[in-house]
Amino acid sequence: MTLRVIPPASMLRKFGYVHFHLPLARSFCSEKVSYIQGQEPEKGVREYFYYIDHQGMLFLDDSKIKNFTSCFKDKQFLTFFFRRLKKNNTGRYEEHFPFWSDCGKERNFVRGDDVPIVYTHVTKKIPRGASEEEEHLCFGHAGDVLSFKFHPQNIYMAETGRVYHPGPANAGSVGLISSKLAIEFSKNFLFQGENTQCPTHFVWNNNEYVLDSSWIKNLTAQGNL
């Protein structure tokens, strides 16, 4: 059986869907947070709650089953959603949902397994205003539409083994490299020093880069991680 996940009404209208049905309102409650999908805290304002897993797939937060069958797949909707993703400074659910995607009178609160930006593959494109092709890391499962310029020297492996790269400022300035892409990258890691557990160099396109982790240390020092 294939599950269909339907975005909120205003997003569907924006994309030209004429016939739609909203899912029935569902309540969620834990020791830390409680909400009802589509709740109306004030007249004309509705709130929805989302979850992003470590592969970058987007789900309704209260979905009991989170896998490929239940994630959002419409690329137009995903592009719309991720382009509006930013830090949650609404005064609501900030502790448990640190990001939100602003859709006018719909507040879409977001939390995840890690950071909300998850890079899934590398592509080449000519950005608007540029004259030469650049390599970009893509995110949001929207094809090559959503991307961030790839800086090989800024690859960073944490002690957990997860790999990160700088990301869009509005979404926290950091992105997680998905496990599949991280495995590909790991083939190009170099380790120098007897007690080095994290890579010190990265080979990409026949160029060897000295890895620079100052960017993530600065984010940590500023309290942004």
Side-chain angles (χ1 to χ4, degrees):
M1 179 178 67
T2 301
L3 301 179
R4 294 185 62 201
V5 182
I6 305 175
S10 66
M11 292 190 183
L12 287 164
R13 288 194 294 270
K14 181 178 179 65
F15 301 145
Y17 290 84
V18 178
H19 302 290
F20 60 88
H21 300 278
L22 285 177
L24 294 176
R26 298 198 303 266
S27 62
F28 175 86
C29 182
S30 71
E31 295 181 357
K32 296 181 178 180
V33 63
S34 63
Y35 60 77
I36 298 175
Q37 290 284 9
Q39 65 190 22
E40 193 171 358
E42 56 190 86
K43 187 176 181 179
V45 175
R46 290 192 176 276
E47 295 177 332
Y48 296 88
F49 301 82
Y50 293 85
Y51 177 87
I52 299 173
D53 73 359
H54 65 282
Q55 301 297 343
M57 293 189 290
L58 179 69
F59 305 87
L60 287 173
D61 181 68
D62 55 341
S63 296
K64 293 183 179 180
I65 299 175
K66 292 182 173 68
N67 55 35
F68 183 75
T69 62
S70 59
C71 71
F72 288 90
K73 302 177 186 67
D74 186 280
K75 292 181 180 180
Q76 194 173 9
F77 165 69
L78 291 168
T79 299
F80 180 86
F81 188 95
F82 278 96
R83 279 182 173 169
R84 287 157 178 76
L85 191 66
K86 54 189 174 183
K87 285 288 188 71
N88 181 4
N89 58 359
T90 64
R92 292 181 60 78
Y93 299 99
E94 292 183 14
E95 179 181 357
H96 303 293
F97 292 85
F99 295 89
W100 74 306
S101 181
D102 185 7
C103 182
K105 293 186 177 181
E106 288 177 358
R107 300 171 183 158
N108 303 303
F109 296 106
V110 182
R111 63 176 168 182
D113 176 68
D114 202 308
V115 295
I117 300 299
V118 181
Y119 299 119
T120 56
H121 63 282
V122 181
T123 191
K124 292 182 178 180
K125 61 169 56 177
I126 300 177
R128 182 179 300 177
S131 58
E132 296 183 356
E133 195 174 57
E134 300 175 350
E135 286 188 311
H136 281 233
L137 293 170
C138 299
F139 62 91
H141 289 274
D144 295 344
V145 178
L146 300 170
S147 67
F148 190 84
K149 186 176 180 179
F150 183 31
H151 299 279
Q153 71 275 15
N154 289 145
I155 291 290
Y156 170 76
M157 178 184 283
E159 293 181 357
T160 60
R162 289 192 171 183
V163 182
Y164 299 86
H165 181 276
N170 60 300
S173 299
V174 60
L176 172 69
I177 304 295
S178 68
S179 56
K180 182 179 179 180
L181 185 57
I183 290 172
E184 293 182 23
F185 281 176
S186 68
K187 300 173 184 177
N188 300 324
F189 285 151
L190 299 178
F191 300 77
Q192 293 188 5
E194 295 181 359
N195 299 319
T196 301
Q197 296 182 346
C198 295
T200 57
H201 295 69
F202 181 62
V203 178
W204 188 254
N205 292 336
N206 297 318
N207 294 313
E208 183 176 313
Y209 296 89
V210 177
L211 294 180
D212 178 11
S213 61
S214 60
W215 64 274
I216 201 163
K217 292 178 181 177
N218 290 336
L219 287 176
T220 302
Q222 295 166 8
N224 293 327
L225 286 179

